[in-house]
Amino acid sequence: MGIGETMEAPKDICNLLLAWYAENKRDLPWRKNPDPYSTWISEMMLQQTRVETVIPYYYRFLERFPTVSVLANADEEEVLTAWKGLGYYSRARNLHLAAKIVQEKYQCVFPNSYQALRLLPGIGDYSAGAILSIAFNQPFPAVDGNVLRVISRVICLEGDISEAAVKKKIRQIVSDLIPEGRAGEFTQALMELGAILCLPQNPLCADCPIRVYCLADKNGRQDCIPVRRQSRPPANLDYWVAVVRKDNDILMQYREHTGLLGRMWGLPMAVKNPVVKPEKEFADQLGLNLQKVKSLGNTKHVFTHQVWNMEAIELMPEESRNDLPQGFAWIPLGKIDQIPIPKAFQKIFELGNYM
DNA sequence: AACACGTGGGT
DNA sequence: TACCCAAGTGT
């Protein structure tokens, strides 16, 4: 800093960041009118999900559920159907539940305090900070993956960012940085920097507005930071998936309450077993005599912690019976896009050209 | 603290 | 290909 520079670093960082943001921010739909409801919806959708993925869901969702009241009074199944394909379906259930709470407890006026927001299901520390700063311009830090990356690089922090103590430290730093009266812009500027310049791999440091303040860049550590403990490799599972077809109906299963894809509609599955034929396995499971029509081929679906290697088998019931075991139902092909079916099973339908 | 919880895009 | 990891939360 030269003589006559009275600006302190924190303030300078904020000014550079805000000026850069004003020039370079993306034109995102939820930035048009950051009211509490639409900010909340966008934040729930954006959890662990890319902006480009969220955009079409965001438009459709707000069109169908334009207010807290409409959302609160909708059927859960319709909310889940609107969420279909986005993943992490507990977000949709929590969203629906939270809307009911906002309606009952706050007469549909979205709460604007940290304590009240944190009590709503689906709103954790990050989302509370994001909603308070973006929708209410209150000086709360919102520390997401972007901010963790930006700040850990700026201070050249070599500690593991998945540790609570490290997150806490970064939250404090961000909190101290928030400029007076500009919390919303600042939150978004920090995240935007992480999203478009301070990238996980090959950050574009040459274009960074706060490069002069970045200690990782100064030390040549920008490619090593942030440090994150590596996750356990996913388990590999081999399944048969049954497509039992009766005229235009497909036999589907409402999945059990808990666990992966719980309370979503799926297809009957069985762990592959080399000493049993799939038609026999599914016949036992479904209480139907089944005939194998053909194998529809294999497809893979990757979750964070599991990989499903699926062989889809088309089967035909040998007799027409209507008493199915608990949780199973015949669903007309044309109705399938109106019920919540996760991507893993959508892939099976595509494999067999059913849709 | 560590893991479950979806999906997709980038390298 | 395989791996990383994304505007995280709940348990």
Side-chain angles (χ1 to χ4, degrees):
Chain A
M1 301 273 252
I3 294 173
E5 296 276 346
T6 53
M7 209 99 80
E8 292 173 28
K11 195 155 191 181
D12 199 24
I13 288 174
C14 289
N15 287 337
L16 291 167
L17 211 46
L18 290 171
W20 171 83
Y21 178 66
E23 272 306 302
N24 297 282
K25 66 179 172 190
R26 290 167 294 178
D27 188 15
L28 302 175
W30 43 88
R31 287 184 176 158
K32 289 200 186 85
N33 179 25
D35 61 278
Y37 180 68
S38 52
T39 302
W40 172 49
I41 301 298
S42 70
E43 289 303 337
M44 294 305 102
M45 289 187 167
L46 286 161
Q47 288 172 9
Q48 298 287 281
T49 310
R50 291 192 147 70
V51 163
E52 313 79 66
T53 306
V54 165
I55 289 172
Y57 282 89
Y58 176 81
Y59 280 123
R60 285 197 297 266
F61 199 93
L62 279 195
E63 189 158 324
R64 173 59 191 88
F65 310 107
T67 64
V68 172
S69 163
V70 172
L71 181 57
N73 296 314
D75 288 336
E76 185 185 84
E77 176 152 292
E78 205 189 340
V79 178
L80 283 170
T81 301
W83 204 270
K84 175 166 72 172
L86 248 195
Y88 286 144
Y89 298 99
S90 66
R91 290 184 294 173
R93 290 204 177 79
N94 286 151
L95 195 66
H96 189 223
L97 238 177
K100 287 177 178 294
I101 295 171
V102 173
Q103 182 173 57
E104 297 299 313
K105 198 169 170 185
Y106 305 108
Q107 293 73 52
C108 290
V109 178
F110 216 79
N112 67 346
S113 77
Y114 181 84
Q115 292 74 9
L117 287 175
R118 281 297 270 108
L119 251 22
L120 296 175
I123 297 185
D125 195 49
Y126 159 75
S127 299
I131 293 167
L132 286 167
S133 59
I134 296 170
F136 296 107
N137 204 25
Q138 289 185 37
F140 282 84
V143 177
D144 70 337
N146 289 308
V147 176
L148 243 22
R149 188 168 58 253
V150 170
I151 300 298
S152 62
R153 282 177 176 160
V154 169
I155 65 173
C156 200
L157 182 91
E158 304 271 359
D160 180 350
I161 58 163
S162 47
E163 284 175 16
V166 172
K167 283 186 187 154
K168 190 175 172 189
K169 176 177 176 148
I170 291 183
R171 194 149 47 231
Q172 185 57 243
I173 289 171
V174 172
S175 186
D176 293 340
L177 228 36
I178 301 171
E180 183 81 33
R182 304 183 74 176
E185 288 167 87
F186 182 71
T187 285
Q188 296 185 80
L190 219 38
M191 291 195 290
E192 194 78 342
L193 186 70
I196 68 188
L197 291 183
C198 197
L199 303 169
Q201 281 102 36
N202 309 316
L204 307 174
C205 301
D207 298 326
C208 181
I210 57 172
R211 183 174 193 177
V212 292
Y213 290 108
C214 183
L215 296 180
D217 180 66
K218 187 166 289 180
N219 297 326
R221 300 289 292 158
Q222 72 282 161
D223 293 323
C224 314
I225 292 174
V227 176
R228 190 195 300 269
R229 84 160 178 283
Q230 74 180 69
S231 53
R232 180 204 294 189
N236 246 290
L237 274 12
D238 295 330
Y239 288 111
W240 283 313
V241 180
V243 179
V244 185
R245 190 168 178 182
K246 188 179 71 176
D247 302 323
N248 244 13
D249 292 348
I250 301 282
L251 182 56
M252 299 206 62
Q253 178 178 22
Y254 188 67
R255 297 173 62 82
E256 58 182 303
H257 190 276
T258 54
L260 188 56
L261 306 179
R263 286 178 284 166
M264 302 286 283
W265 285 90
L267 291 164
M269 297 174 74
V271 174
K272 272 194 179 180
N273 177 347
V275 303
V276 183
K277 290 189 170 174
E279 56 268 39
K280 174 77 170 90
E281 179 76 33
F282 286 115
D284 291 348
Q285 187 184 128
L286 302 169
L288 281 174
N289 290 317
L290 296 168
Q291 206 176 307
K292 176 169 172 176
V293 177
K294 60 184 172 188
S295 173
L296 297 169
N298 294 279
T299 189
K300 182 166 87 163
H301 192 75
V302 179
F303 299 96
T304 311
H305 58 299
Q306 287 183 20
V307 178
W308 287 1
N309 299 299
M310 301 179 283
E311 181 183 355
I313 317 249
E314 182 169 327
L315 301 164
M316 196 172 67
E318 288 184 341
E319 76 273 29
S320 147
R321 281 180 33 203
N322 286 326
D323 56 321
L324 294 168
Q326 180 63 230
F328 292 90
W330 294 104
I331 308 284
L333 269 172
K335 218 194 140 195
I336 282 174
D337 60 356
Q338 295 162 44
I339 60 175
I341 299 168
K343 194 69 185 179
F345 301 105
Q346 209 71 51
K347 284 183 180 175
I348 303 294
F349 291 124
E350 285 158 18
L351 208 55
N353 279 89
Y354 292 103
M355 324 222 27

